[in-house]
Amino acid sequence: MGQMTADNMSDCIEQYLKAILTKDKHIEIKRASIAEQFDVVPSQINYVIKTRFTLQRGYLVESKRGGRGYIRIEQVAPGADDAYLRAMVASLGDLTTSSQADEVLDCLMQKGLLTKHEQSLIGALLSTEALTFGNVQKANALRTRLLTQLLNRLRFESERG
């Protein structure tokens, strides 16, 4: 399958799942049955879910493997909610790239937790240019720590009302 075809198929799968989510707040799907429906390998379904149904885009994904396995996708209302911000921190992992940080900042701006100006300033501080000091892993680890501090500060502010 050519790259263009794979991308188009990913778009179709994403649109299909989002259409279902407009009716229900969450869905449970079987990876194999969706793959069969779209005539793709199951890993294509994993790819779509991993890249297009992220917490930063307003989705919580839970996956259970095995014979009765399923993937549950739930729309969440991102915002200054403590549970959402804690989940954002947990989703960072240990090493955050500049583009991942930009996605988080964009989400925070879209949800009204940062102004466009604040997003731009923080983005500059977390950029590859700002954090280049010879070791990409250390830069990504530092970016994660800085983003975690920002998210925890937003949690603290949301608790204080």
Side-chain angles (χ1 to χ4, degrees), residues 49-112:
I49 290 170
K50 185 175 180 167
T51 59
R52 301 179 185 205
F53 291 88
T54 63
L55 187 60
Q56 291 82 2
R57 294 182 180 190
Y59 299 95
L60 278 176
V61 176
E62 176 188 339
S63 136
K64 183 178 181 231
R65 297 193 174 270
R68 289 201 161 83
Y70 63 87
I71 298 172
R72 177 186 170 104
I73 304 170
E74 181 178 353
Q75 274 188 306
V76 292
D81 171 81
D82 181 64
Y84 177 77
L85 292 169
R86 268 189 289 122
M88 284 283 277
V89 169
S91 77
L92 291 178
D94 294 334
L95 303 173
T96 304
T97 66
S98 180
S99 62
Q100 289 168 324
D102 287 343
E103 197 172 85
V104 170
L105 294 175
D106 187 54
C107 180
L108 295 173
M109 191 272 302
Q110 299 275 340
K111 302 309 171 194

Side-chain angles (χ1 to χ4, degrees), residues 38-49:
F38 284 92
D39 193 28
V40 296
V41 294
S43 62
Q44 177 95 16
I45 305 303
N46 286 352
Y47 169 78
V48 170
I49 290 170

